[in-house]
Amino acid sequence: MSNNKQIRWGVFLIPWLLAIATIALNFISGKAFNATIMAITNFILDKFSWLFALMAFACVILILVAYISPFGRVRIGGRKAKPIMNMTNYVWIVLCTIMAAGILLWACAEPMYHYYNPPASVKAQSPEAITFIMKDIFLEWTFTPMCIYGVPAILFAFLFYNAKKKYSIGSMLYPALPYSMAEKASPVVDVICLLALVCGMAASMGSAVFLCSDGLASIFDSFKSNAATWTIVAAIIVTAFVASASSGVMNGIRILSTINSRIYMVLGLFVFLFGPTFYILNLTIEGFGAYLTDFCKQSLFLSAADGDKWANWWPIFYWCNWMAWMPVTSVFLGRISRGFSVREAIRTIVVYPALFSVAWLGLFSSSSIYYELAGKGINKAMTDGGTASATYAVLHQMPVPVVTILIFLLIVFVSFVTASDSNTNAMSGLCTTGLSAEDTESPTWLKIVWGVTIGVMCVIFITAFKSTDALKYLSNLGGFPVVFLLILIAVSFVKVMSNPAKYDTFSEDYDEYGQPLPSQRLMSEQEEARQGKKNAGAGKNATA
């Protein structure tokens, strides 16, 4: 470790010890602990659903304004900053970081829940319910969650690279609060966000473990999905993402995300060609049109008139969960955005992943609905075998299910490893001082400790409760303080967007009126290295 790098022991030890305490409480009285967490979560969702919905909607507005404003021309790190990687790698790393295993689990399962149990205002098992499914699932998984990540990611990138603030979530408070107050609040903010993400990652790992175990059990009769196999699968996942995180961004994450991009394309093309192709096209386009038409209505839907609290357990629950992940994930996304303009970063962090999600949900959610209507028993498979079984029931309706399920499992594995890799990097970075624009790698042992802790927490909770519900509720508790943090982040974002020249140390990047000057993206460090090798090879050949 560099002499300038030191461990922030308070920021590291407090959330780590609280995570250990959570594991201990599960051993002492798991049911009572789970019941308490559920009761607190119910209270939060019931009393503050309006705030989660408003802040999620506000993030969409802020991203739209930032994209069309002069702020969009600002280059992260200044006009002379070289991107860490090329645009292709940037896009796929962002996509794999944000998606993890969530969309893979819910793309086929969530339509079944909504078809049979929609809000009180929608008739179950009706054409209206099908339209509602597509509107709601597009809302929860496309542009809004990407905007929740996009606002803090761009703000952090600007403040770290341009304003030269510390590598800390608390740095995002600087424009909204007096410097001394933001400085004091920074460690507290980092601790809360780290604990929320540890629980969120453990819950997400549980989803990946169930997906992998249930998938293998669906194609191999001799394979049993039980505590022993869950532990083995979790150990393999932890080993993979810790090894990847330890190798650095330009090695592990870049290679894994590149591999995953190709696998995504292969499976998506297969489902499009061998699934209900024309139904997929028709329902996706119709559903996306309904989503755009009713965007404001859906975004602010709280089930207040219905009185059934349906919204609390779907869109609001999602906003709470996205926000729990948001601070630490956005630090990583901001970290890899150096050298790109704000407008390019918005396209990469928000637009491209959202459009990918539209396509993926169109393929899998439409197929799930189609096969259920055709009497193929997708909902029954899910009811009998758990949430993950819906996806495998859909793939069993297409040719060579053994092959497609194995490919799907590979996507699940690589997606979660990539997402965990990036978040473990960010978590370790937040526990370290002395990181700079030139050197953002934290000590390897920190990555190992966080990775093992997350894996142990996941295994203990899923073997105790046979689900990830307790961890999800715990993660959502982290989303509660973060929604207030997001208010301050939004204020900071507005102030920076309104007058970036005031905060930017690269004063030469602005004209006399304080407007950002246009600039071209430079060749990335990755592209320069490749070009150097090519030139060296050409020189050797010419000499020969």
Side-chain angles (χ1 to χ4, degrees):
M1 185 166 64
S2 166
N3 291 331
N4 295 325
K5 294 180 185 178
Q6 301 294 328
I7 304 301
R8 299 171 72 193
W9 288 107
V11 172
F12 164 62
L13 283 176
I14 293 174
W16 184 74
L17 290 173
L18 287 172
I20 299 301
T22 300
I23 295 171
L25 285 171
N26 176 67
F27 278 117
I28 295 168
S29 182
K31 290 183 179 179
F33 176 70
N34 197 13
T36 303
I37 296 299
M38 286 181 65
I40 298 172
T41 301
N42 287 338
F43 175 81
I44 291 170
L45 294 176
D46 186 44
K47 304 302 181 185
F48 293 91
S49 56
W50 59 273
L51 183 58
F52 285 105
L54 275 178
M55 290 312 300
F57 187 68
C59 286
V60 177
I61 302 301
L62 288 175
I63 287 294
L64 282 172
V65 174
Y67 191 83
I68 61 177
S69 73
F71 182 56
R73 294 199 300 269
V74 172
R75 191 156 298 280
I76 296 166
R79 290 191 297 168
K80 296 178 181 178
K82 296 177 182 178
I84 299 171
M85 62 196 73
N86 62 36
M87 177 60 83
T88 303
N89 287 139
Y90 181 38
V91 169
W92 282 111
I93 288 175
V94 167
L95 180 65
C96 292
T97 296
I98 292 175
M99 289 296 101
I103 196 171
L104 303 174
L105 176 66
W106 290 104
C108 291
E110 191 169 334
M112 296 299 99
Y113 285 103
H114 297 346
Y115 184 64
Y116 290 99
N117 297 286
S121 56
V122 178
K123 184 180 178 181
Q125 303 178 53
S126 66
E128 181 189 6
I130 293 174
T131 302
F132 179 84
I133 287 168
M134 300 308 290
K135 287 194 297 185
D136 185 73
I137 206 164
F138 283 146
L139 175 73
E140 294 166 354
W141 288 98
T142 61
F143 289 94
T144 301
M146 306 313 156
C147 290
I148 291 173
Y149 283 140
V151 168
I154 290 164
L155 179 64
F156 174 80
F158 178 87
L159 292 173
F160 179 62
Y161 287 115
N162 295 61
K164 304 299 183 185
K165 299 302 174 188
K166 292 180 180 178
Y167 192 95
S168 168
I169 296 167
S171 293
M172 291 186 269
L173 304 179
Y174 162 65
L177 299 175
Y179 183 78
S180 60
M181 190 180 297
E183 188 80 2
K184 291 176 182 176
S186 180
V188 178
V189 169
D190 289 348
V191 165
I192 293 171
C193 294
L194 281 169
L195 181 62
L197 186 63
V198 168
C199 298
M201 285 180 67
S204 185
M205 179 185 286
S207 298
V209 168
F210 287 141
L211 275 168
C212 291
S213 299
D214 292 352
L216 291 170
S218 74
I219 54 177
F220 300 116
D221 294 335
S222 60
F223 189 94
K224 303 299 180 185
S225 183
N226 53 35
T229 55
W230 298 338
T231 303
I232 293 169
V233 170
I236 294 170
I237 290 174
V238 169
T239 301
F241 81 70
V242 168
S244 178
S246 301
S247 67
V249 172
M250 288 311 297
N251 295 312
I253 301 177
R254 180 182 62 82
I255 294 168
L256 286 173
S257 61
T258 301
I259 293 170
N260 219 24
S261 67
R262 286 156 175 72
I263 307 172
Y264 267 124
M265 290 177 184
V266 169
L267 186 60
L269 182 61
F270 179 88
V271 172
F272 180 74
L273 293 175
F274 295 100
T277 304
F278 294 108
Y279 187 81
I280 288 170
L281 289 169
N282 289 333
L283 187 59
T284 300
I285 292 171
E286 182 179 313
F288 191 66
Y291 159 71
L292 293 176
T293 302
D294 292 341
F295 178 76
C296 293
K297 177 183 175 182
Q298 288 289 115
S299 296
L300 302 174
F301 175 60
L302 299 174
S303 294
D306 294 343
D308 62 355
K309 301 188 185 300
W310 184 93
N312 283 3
W313 295 107
W314 288 104
I316 304 303
F317 193 92
Y318 273 116
W319 303 154
C320 195
N321 194 53
W322 288 113
M323 288 178 193
W325 282 68
M326 171 269 291
V328 179
T329 303
S330 63
V331 165
F332 175 78
L333 297 176
R335 172 191 167 190
I336 64 172
S337 297
R338 190 187 75 196
F340 295 94
S341 70
V342 167
R343 203 162 284 147
E344 288 170 331
I346 289 174
R347 286 199 295 267
T348 304
I349 297 171
V350 176
V351 179
Y352 300 149
L355 291 177
F356 172 86
S357 296
V358 169
W360 191 264
L361 294 167
L363 288 165
F364 282 86
S365 298
S366 298
S367 297
S368 179
I369 295 167
Y370 176 85
Y371 290 125
E372 178 65 16
L373 295 177
K376 301 300 182 181
I378 307 303
N379 186 62
K380 184 178 185 305
M382 186 179 76
T383 304
D384 294 342
T387 305
S389 300
T391 303
Y392 303 123
V394 168
L395 292 175
H396 270 290
Q397 309 309 314
M398 301 176 199
V400 291
V402 173
V403 175
T404 55
I405 289 174
L406 286 174
I407 292 173
F408 179 80
L409 291 176
L410 184 59
I411 292 176
V412 171
F413 180 80
V414 178
S415 293
F416 184 78
V417 167
T418 309
S420 299
D421 180 339
S422 56
N423 282 298
T424 304
N425 265 292
M427 291 167 70
S428 302
L430 291 171
C431 299
T432 310
T433 61
L435 300 185
S436 64
E438 292 73 32
D439 182 8
T440 54
E441 286 295 338
S442 53
T444 300
W445 71 264
L446 267 179
K447 300 173 185 179
I448 295 171
V449 169
W450 281 124
V452 171
T453 302
I454 290 163
V456 170
M457 181 180 280
C458 169
V459 170
I460 288 173
F461 272 81
I462 64 176
T463 52
F465 297 108
K466 308 297 187 290
S467 77
T468 60
D469 287 349
L471 286 167
K472 288 177 181 176
Y473 292 131
L474 203 59
S475 172
N476 283 0
L477 288 183
F480 180 57
V482 171
V483 74
F484 297 98
L485 172 65
L486 185 57
I487 294 172
L488 293 174
I489 288 174
V491 172
S492 293
F493 191 87
V494 170
K495 293 180 77 170
V496 168
M497 177 172 60
S498 303
N499 187 10
K502 177 181 177 181
Y503 304 95
D504 202 331
T505 58
F506 298 101
S507 56
E508 67 275 13
D509 291 356
Y510 298 83
D511 62 21
E512 65 269 29
Y513 303 107
Q515 295 297 301
L517 296 169
S519 61
Q520 294 294 317
R521 184 172 76 246
L522 301 179
M523 183 181 291
S524 70
E525 294 173 359
Q526 179 188 2
E527 291 166 322
E528 277 191 345
R530 189 178 300 153
Q531 187 65 43
K533 288 180 181 178
K534 187 183 293 185
N535 292 341
K540 286 181 181 179
N541 292 335
T543 304

